[in-house]
Amino acid sequence: MARDIVFFLAPDDETAAAARLRGPAEAFESVTCHFIEPDSAIAEWDMYFEEPSADVPPVEQLLGWAWPEWVTAPLNDGVEVFALPQRLTRALANASSAEFEELAGRWTTRLWSQDGDDMTDDDLLAVLQGVARLAASAVNTGGGLYSWSF
């Protein structure tokens, strides 16, 4: 499980990849959260917008979903950078409050069932809303939405 996760805007994959060693820090508009797996979160969000449901998907369905692409693969230090799919970025940018609430509830349920008391204490609805603001900026500027984790 990644300790620190930063969702951030960057103009392109090359710029996002350059953030690998130092992290996005202050250089990029970002949203930070802790103790989640960014790749499974991204896959779950994408699945939700493609096949909306308040129900937690079976783990086999989630594992069979298209997972995000690495911009930089993890090395021995565990740092990785993913690009969020463009269709997910558009979906997040255009989602309603009701969709965020339903997705946050579903995501919370899945994480609780997997992690129990070790689950993140971040407000997952606030994380989604923050990432959605980044997604809207990415759509408006033609940039990309990425996650950096360690």
Side-chain angles (χ1 to χ4, degrees), residues 1-93:
M1 178 173 308
R3 184 179 69 212
D4 295 315
I5 303 89
V6 181
F7 293 95
F8 67 100
L9 290 175
D12 53 48
D13 288 357
E14 186 176 322
T15 306
R20 184 199 175 292
L21 292 179
R22 67 186 187 292
E26 321 284 300
F28 301 99
E29 189 176 350
S30 63
V31 171
T32 301
C33 57
H34 309 282
F35 302 111
I36 66 164
E37 291 296 338
D39 51 354
S40 65
I42 294 165
E44 183 169 358
W45 301 347
D46 188 47
M47 178 186 291
Y48 173 82
F49 288 110
E50 288 297 306
E51 300 175 6
S53 171
D55 298 329
V56 174
V59 71
E60 302 81 26
Q61 184 180 8
L62 182 61
L63 292 175
W65 198 256
W67 286 54
E69 300 278 331
W70 273 312
V71 175
T72 61
L75 300 174
N76 290 339
D77 61 5
V79 175
E80 56 192 359
V81 178
F82 290 107
L84 276 70
Q86 286 296 318
R87 75 178 183 188
L88 174 57
T89 301
R90 286 188 301 274
L92 287 164

Side-chain angles (χ1 to χ4, degrees), residues 48 95-104 125:
Y48 173 82
S96 69
S97 295
E99 288 174 310
F100 287 127
E101 289 173 14
E102 185 173 80
L103 176 54
L125 177 58

Side-chain angles (χ1 to χ4, degrees), residues 127-149:
V127 169
L128 280 168
Q129 291 167 331
V131 173
R133 283 189 294 280
L134 296 176
S137 291
V139 167
N140 290 334
T141 63
L145 186 54
Y146 301 88
S147 75
W148 174 93
S149 59

Side-chain angles (χ1 to χ4, degrees), residues 115-130:
D115 302 335
D117 290 337
D118 292 330
M119 186 178 124
T120 181
D121 60 357
D122 286 318
D123 178 343
L124 298 180
L125 177 58
V127 169
L128 280 168
Q129 291 167 331

